[in-house]
């Protein structure tokens, strides 16, 4: 029997498709009560990892478990984990309600659960329409309804915002936060940090199939250094004054601007006043997660050939 | 397992494939039986001329040799349950609904087990319907003059039922092995309509009409299952009705069985039990291969 913890654990997970290494030596855990973002550029191995967690793809090495067990040992897997995957199929001729009734039977939940989940995702009015005529957003909602049939402890979503309108995204955000607040687990992948930034507490960033960052989003934000950009009347005078205040990391540019790291606009303004330097412009740049995310995952396609070349040269 | 079987039934009944194929199967079985049995005079004469009926002094009217057409019509119509089984897994792979099916089942082996049970039941439903349609075809085709005796009908119907069930299971395995619905339908149709019958014909031609390799191949064995049943029961009826001789010569009975089996479409096939065992083996082999392939498949 599974341990009922709602924890998703990935340990030294690897997957090769032929000679292509899709995921290599990936490890992280997703704790209940939180929304974990699973981020990386397209082709980083996110989908493959999620599908290994769900038992759809067999790992080449390592393990992926939910509640301490691999998916095919969970017994009643749909009551433990629900998922919304890209490329998930519906029979085009089957109505939304019939689609849900098929899987309600497989899971062993009563048919009234079908109407509950239809209501929950806002598809009640479309219940008797064929899935083949659904828009992408409606398909996403139907996929979520299917995932929720078994009232699972954990939800795994692969790029769920794809195809959703802004209203749908906002709805999903609230839904996932509430779901996690009830002590359940949410793992949601995206290639855009901004898309999930307001939803997630924890983040796993991967690139090249390897973990680049794993921890609290707040810690990542703190790790990003704040900077102040200032346009003074006298570049040199202000630089000297800042140095005197122990602010040594200063960049000068040709337009007469200074970029000062690890400080605030207010602090720079006070120093300039004391030094008698006039300020024509002052701008504080907050932690730019997107930029950091880009740095962490940067060069997935640029550096790889170079590394291969170097390795080749060493032989 | 019961939950998964219920889900499989819902999958089938919420789309139209089952009755689309069933209607065509009924038309083919009924039409074929009717056509053959209405054109039955020529063949009837041939049988009447055979040494066995001559020496046994049998009147053809006493013998239910329409069973030969019944068997033949059922054989042809088994293509439809075969296709129905073939699409069981292949269409789920093609439409990607297999993802949700895997995610809601305890494991893949149990899902395939549930599918096998469900499709065995559906194979039997097809079998019953096809047999009834073929029987109706014979009633219409012969104008009710040459109906099949109850025992003979029952044993042929049972053989037809088993044949439909095994074809469904074999199709299911082939579909799981190939994975694409179009590919599965093409492979099954090309084998069932062209390669199977042609190889039976050619191999049997080389073997001078005797049981041979063709009877050991899936199509030959399946045809043998129904064909031998028809041939055996016919021979038994003839022996029972034999007025001229108290004991019919064994080689004559055997030769008659071969002729009747041939007429029933069982080219080069072995006897009933051997054919049943061989075809059961083929169905199990393909199903097992399909299970192995499906368990190993990465759903990306």
């Amino acid at each position: 029997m599974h341990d009922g913890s709602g924890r998703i654990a990935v340990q030294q997970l690897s997957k090769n498709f032929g000679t292509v290494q899709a995921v290599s030596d990936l490890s992280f855990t997703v704790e209940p009560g939180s929304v974990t973002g699973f981020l990386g550029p397209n082709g980083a191995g996110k989908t493959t990892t999620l599908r290994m967690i769900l038992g759809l793809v067999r790992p080449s090495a390592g393990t992926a478990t939910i509640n301490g067990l691999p998916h095919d040992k969970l017994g009643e897997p749909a009551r433990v984990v629900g998922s919304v995957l890209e490329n998930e199929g519906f029979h085009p001729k089957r109505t939304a309600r019939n689609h849900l009734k098929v899987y309600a039977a497989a899971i062993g939940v009563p048919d009234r659960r079908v109407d509950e989940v239809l209501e929950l995702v806002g598809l009640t009015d479309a219940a008797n329409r064929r899935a083949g005529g659904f828009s992408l957003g409606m398909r996403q909602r139907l996929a979520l309804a299917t995932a929720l049939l078994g009232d699972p402890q954990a939800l795994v979503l692969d790029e769920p915002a794809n195809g959703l309108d802004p209203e749908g995204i906002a709805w999903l955000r609230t839904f996932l936060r509430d779901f996690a607040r009830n002590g359940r687990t949410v793992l949601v992948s995206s290639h855009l940090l901004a898309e999930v930034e307001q939803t997630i507490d924890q983040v796993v960033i991967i690139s090249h199939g390897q973990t680049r960052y794993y921890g609290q989003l707040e810690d990542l934000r703190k790790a990003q250094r704040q900077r102040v950009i200032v346009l003074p009347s006298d570049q040199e005078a202000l630089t000297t004054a800042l140095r005197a205040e122990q602010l040594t990391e200063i960049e000068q540019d040709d337009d007469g601007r200074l970029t000062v790291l690890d400080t605030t606009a207010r602090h720079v303004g006070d120093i300039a006043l004391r030094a008698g330097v006039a300020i024509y412009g002052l701008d504080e740049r907050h932690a730019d997660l997107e930029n950091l995310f880009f740095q962490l995952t940067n060069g997935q396609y640029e550096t790889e050939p170079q590394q291969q070349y170097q390795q080749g040269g060493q032989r | 397992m019961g939950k998964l079987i219920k889900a499989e039934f819902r999958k089938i009944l919420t789309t139209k494939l089952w009755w689309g194929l069933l209607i065509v199967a009924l038309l083919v079985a009924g039409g074929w039986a009717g056509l053959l049995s209405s054109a039955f005079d020529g063949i009837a004469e041939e049988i009447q001329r055979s040494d066995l009926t001559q020496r046994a002094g049998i009147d053809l009217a006493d013998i239910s040799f329409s069973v030969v057409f019944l068997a033949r019509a059922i054989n042809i119509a088994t293509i439809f349950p075969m296709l129905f089984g073939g699409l069981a897994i292949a269409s789920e792979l093609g439409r990607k609904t297999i993802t949700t099916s895997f995610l809601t089942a305890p494991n893949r082996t149990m899902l395939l087990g549930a599918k096998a049970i469900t499709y065995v039941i559906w194979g039997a439903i097809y079998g019953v319907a096809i047999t009834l349609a073929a029987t109706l075809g014979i009633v219409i085709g012969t104008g009710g003059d040459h109906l099949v005796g109850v025992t003979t009908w029952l044993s042929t119907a049972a053989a037809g039922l088993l044949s439909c069930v095994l074809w469904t299971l074999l199709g299911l395995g082939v579909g799981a092995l190939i994975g694409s619905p179009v590919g599965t339908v093409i492979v099954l149709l090309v084998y069932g309509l062209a390669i199977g019958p042609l190889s039976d014909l050619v191999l049997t031609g080389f073997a001078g009409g005797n049981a041979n390799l063709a009877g050991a191949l899936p199509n030959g064995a399946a045809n043998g299952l129904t064909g031998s049943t028809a041939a055996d029961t016919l021979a038994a009826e003839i022996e029972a009705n034999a007025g001229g001789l108290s004991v019919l010569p064994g080689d004559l009975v055997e030769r008659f069985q071969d002729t009747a089996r041939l007429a029933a479409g069982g080219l080069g096939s072995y006897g009933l039990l051997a054919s049943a065992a061989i075809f059961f083996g083929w169905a199990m082999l393909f199903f097992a291969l399909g299970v192995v392939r499906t368990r190993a498949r990465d759903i990306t």
Side-chain angles (χ1 to χ4, degrees):
Chain A
M1 241 347 242
H2 58 79
D3 62 16
S5 62
R7 184 180 292 110
I8 298 173
V10 169
Q11 284 168 333
Q12 280 141 29
L13 199 62
S14 298
K15 178 67 185 181
N16 310 321
F17 289 110
T19 55
V20 180
Q21 180 95 11
V23 173
S24 82
D25 204 27
L26 207 60
S27 297
F28 62 88
T29 50
V30 183
E31 298 294 338
S34 71
V35 181
T36 299
F38 188 43
L39 298 165
N42 288 327
K46 298 188 300 292
T47 297
T48 305
T49 304
L50 295 184
R51 283 177 177 262
M52 283 195 278
I53 292 170
L54 296 167
L56 295 168
V57 170
R58 311 264 135 162
S60 303
T63 57
T65 59
I66 307 168
N67 285 4
L69 289 175
H71 191 275
D72 63 354
K73 299 281 188 296
L74 288 173
E76 293 188 312
R79 293 179 189 268
V80 177
V81 60
S83 55
V84 176
L85 299 174
E86 280 188 301
N87 206 5
E88 196 166 6
F90 306 106
H91 194 295
K93 297 285 171 63
R94 213 174 264 144
T95 64
R97 176 175 277 122
N98 279 338
H99 166 84
L100 291 168
K101 279 178 78 176
V102 165
Y103 294 106
I107 298 167
V109 292
D111 286 350
R112 70 180 131 77
R113 180 71 187 148
V114 168
D115 291 316
E116 285 171 20
V117 293
L118 280 168
E119 175 84 44
L120 199 59
V121 302
L123 277 183
T124 304
D125 292 341
N128 294 322
R129 280 171 55 191
R130 289 172 174 181
F134 277 14
S135 67
L136 202 56
M138 290 169 87
R139 291 170 70 91
Q140 288 290 62
R141 286 170 188 265
L142 182 54
L144 183 63
T146 314
L148 294 172
L149 272 176
D151 195 19
Q153 261 185 298
L155 266 184
V156 172
L157 306 99
D158 196 5
E159 304 271 359
N162 277 1
L164 286 183
D165 48 25
E167 195 190 340
I169 292 175
W171 174 82
L172 184 67
R173 187 173 288 155
T174 315
F175 176 82
L176 293 180
R177 292 223 62 95
D178 288 346
F179 191 85
R181 201 170 292 133
N182 290 327
R184 306 193 201 204
T185 316
V186 178
L187 178 61
V188 53
S189 85
S190 177
H191 62 284
L192 293 170
L193 179 60
E195 203 172 71
V196 290
E197 197 184 327
Q198 291 163 278
T199 317
I200 61 178
D201 319 297
Q202 217 192 187
V203 65
V204 180
I205 297 177
I206 70 165
S207 150
H208 296 303
Q210 289 179 309
T211 317
R212 296 292 149 126
Y213 180 84
Y214 161 44
Q216 296 297 313
L217 186 64
E218 209 38 53
D219 294 341
L220 184 67
R221 210 173 255 137
K222 280 180 197 148
Q224 175 71 335
R225 304 166 79 187
Q226 189 156 305
R227 60 188 63 209
V228 173
I229 295 159
V230 56
L231 180 61
S233 57
D234 186 340
Q235 233 184 359
E236 293 306 322
L238 184 59
T239 305
T240 312
L242 288 167
R243 289 227 162 91
E245 296 284 335
Q246 313 302 321
L247 292 172
T248 50
E249 289 192 68
I250 303 164
E251 293 162 22
Q252 298 188 344
D253 70 18
D254 296 339
D255 298 333
R257 271 191 287 263
L258 294 176
T259 301
V260 191
L261 288 168
D262 299 329
T263 186
T264 59
R266 189 192 188 104
H267 193 43
V268 172
D270 288 346
I271 293 169
L273 180 65
R274 284 199 294 274
V277 177
I279 286 177
Y280 307 134
L282 187 62
D283 188 16
E284 191 175 282
R285 294 277 162 89
H286 289 283
D288 184 352
L289 276 178
E290 199 63 47
N291 191 30
L292 183 64
F293 172 59
F294 187 67
Q295 282 169 21
L296 281 167
T297 61
N298 195 16
Q300 169 158 4
Y301 302 103
E302 291 153 338
T303 55
E304 205 166 33
Q306 203 183 347
Q307 282 167 353
Q308 282 169 352
Y309 174 74
Q310 283 168 352
Q311 281 167 356
Q314 284 161 359
R315 272 187 216 122
Chain B
M1 193 62 104
K3 292 185 277 188
L4 294 177
I5 293 171
K6 187 178 176 191
E8 289 302 322
F9 265 88
R10 284 185 172 182
K11 277 179 199 168
I12 292 169
L13 292 171
T14 51
T15 51
K16 292 173 179 167
L17 182 72
W18 72 272
W19 64 261
L21 280 175
L22 188 62
I23 283 175
V24 186
L26 297 183
L27 290 176
V28 167
W32 202 250
L35 261 158
L36 282 177
S37 54
S38 68
F40 121 102
D41 276 350
I43 302 166
E45 271 172 38
E46 204 173 304
I47 295 176
Q48 184 73 72
R49 274 201 309 271
S50 77
D51 293 346
L52 185 69
T53 46
Q54 296 274 321
R55 284 174 66 177
I58 291 168
D59 182 4
L60 265 187
D62 297 337
I63 307 301
S64 50
F65 54 84
S66 292
V67 72
V68 166
F69 312 123
L70 183 67
R72 189 140 209 178
I74 292 171
N75 271 345
I76 304 275
T78 52
I79 283 183
F80 299 98
M82 171 186 78
L83 288 178
F84 186 64
L87 290 170
I89 289 169
S91 73
E92 281 222 53
L93 284 165
R95 297 197 190 281
K96 303 272 185 192
T97 53
I98 197 78
T99 308
T100 318
S101 296
F102 280 166
L103 290 174
T104 50
N107 56 59
R108 297 184 185 189
T109 310
M110 273 185 76
L111 179 72
L112 289 168
K115 271 207 193 289
I117 293 169
T118 307
Y119 278 81
V120 160
I121 295 169
W122 275 93
I125 293 170
Y126 269 83
V128 169
I130 285 170
T131 307
L132 290 176
T135 308
L136 185 69
I138 284 169
V139 171
I140 295 168
T142 63
D145 290 341
H146 296 280
L147 296 179
V148 181
V150 174
T151 330
T152 306
W153 185 86
L154 279 176
S155 48
T156 309
L161 194 77
L162 181 62
S163 179
C164 282
V165 166
L166 291 178
W167 269 122
T168 311
L169 214 49
L170 186 141
L172 193 148
V174 170
L177 209 52
I178 294 174
S180 114
V182 176
T184 303
V185 169
I186 290 174
V187 166
L188 288 176
L189 279 183
V190 166
Y191 179 75
L193 292 176
I195 296 177
L198 282 179
S199 67
D200 289 353
L201 202 63
V202 171
L203 288 169
T204 308
F206 276 122
N210 293 318
N212 62 75
L213 178 64
L217 296 175
N219 193 58
N223 289 344
L225 180 57
T226 41
S228 292
T229 306
D232 290 358
T233 48
L234 262 189
E237 275 189 35
I238 289 170
E239 280 185 290
N241 281 287
L245 293 168
S246 51
V247 178
L248 292 173
D251 61 323
L252 271 184
V253 175
E254 221 165 273
R255 206 182 306 154
F256 173 80
Q257 280 177 320
D258 281 347
T259 313
R261 197 176 291 145
L262 220 71
L267 289 171
S269 60
Y270 295 91
L272 171 63
L273 285 178
S275 291
I278 293 167
F279 191 44
F280 182 78
W282 279 112
M284 286 300 128
L285 175 72
F286 278 103
F287 178 68
L289 288 174
V291 171
V292 170
R293 180 71 190 98
T294 305
R295 282 176 53 95
R297 219 178 259 280
D298 280 338
I299 308 300
T300 52

